Amino acid sequence: MALKSIWKRYWTSPDTYRAPEKDEHMIVSETLMSELDHHIKEMERLYREQDHEEEKRRTGVDYSWLVSEQPKGYEIPQLERLELEELCYKVSSTECGKIVALFRDALLREPGVRDLTRIMRACIAQVVEQRPKEESLTEWLTRRSLTSLKLRQVTKVAPSAEMEDIEMQNPPRRENRAMSMPNFSVSL
């Protein structure tokens, strides 16, 4: 019984280790890279099946039962993978869906397995280039001052011929107040 309570206390304690949360860009980067890896493996599998069917049709014999291990697949070179991950890290979460859609549309043309990294890079570059450009503080101030100059109009105040001078006007007479209030009048 004591072991069970210690176990419960240990696992429900707020001091237990929690993995740090990943930031948005890290999640986007992992998503895009896993999409690329998945399609690389899937295309290799399809090409192997096509080669196997062609070999079977050509020779008329199926030797697939003799194969004990799958041939090693294509792996993205480490430097190229790091460059692609760095590029993926610059993508925001709202752009991730656009990149995946562009990438999948490009796969309909059935490119080679080694071309997939270049296609992913091109899709990312296309979406990043379509971003609205952020302007610097000096550009914003310049634009702001130019638009404020254009919007300001010089207004001239001219007296109306119909109105008398304010000093010459008679003050308006006040109406009598309610019965409960005494009537104080100021005469000028």
Side-chain angles (χ1 to χ4, degrees), residues 44-125:
E44 285 178 337
R45 185 186 63 78
L46 289 173
Y47 288 147
R48 272 195 308 269
E49 286 178 4
Q50 288 174 354
D51 289 344
H52 176 70
E53 289 298 318
E54 186 178 319
E55 185 71 26
K56 189 174 159 182
R57 215 175 313 122
R58 193 174 45 132
T59 61
V61 182
D62 183 18
Y63 291 113
S64 63
W65 59 275
L66 286 174
V67 177
S68 60
E69 9 180 300
Q70 294 291 331
K72 186 168 172 117
Y74 174 73
E75 287 189 29
I76 304 170
Q78 191 65 29
L79 185 59
E80 189 175 351
R81 184 175 195 82
L82 289 173
E83 289 173 352
L84 194 57
E85 285 175 354
E86 184 179 337
L87 188 61
C88 290
Y89 195 79
K90 296 176 183 177
V91 175
S92 69
S93 61
T94 56
E95 298 168 330
C96 185
K98 294 176 192 174
I99 292 171
V100 170
L102 283 172
F103 183 67
R104 289 179 181 174
D105 286 343
L107 293 180
L108 295 175
R109 297 184 196 106
E110 298 180 7
V113 175
R114 297 182 187 277
D115 297 331
L116 293 183
T117 55
R118 288 196 331 254
I119 292 171
M120 178 63 86
R121 184 184 309 270
C123 293
I124 293 170

Side-chain angles (χ1 to χ4, degrees), residues 36-49:
L36 177 63
D37 290 338
H38 167 74
H39 285 290
I40 286 174
K41 289 176 184 170
E42 188 64 24
M43 289 189 88
E44 285 178 337
R45 185 186 63 78
L46 289 173
Y47 288 147
R48 272 195 308 269
E49 286 178 4

Side-chain angles (χ1 to χ4, degrees), residues 1 4 8 21 112 120 132 147 152:
M1 187 68 167
K4 193 174 194 180
K8 270 187 175 180
E21 292 184 19
M120 178 63 86
T147 56
R152 290 184 188 165

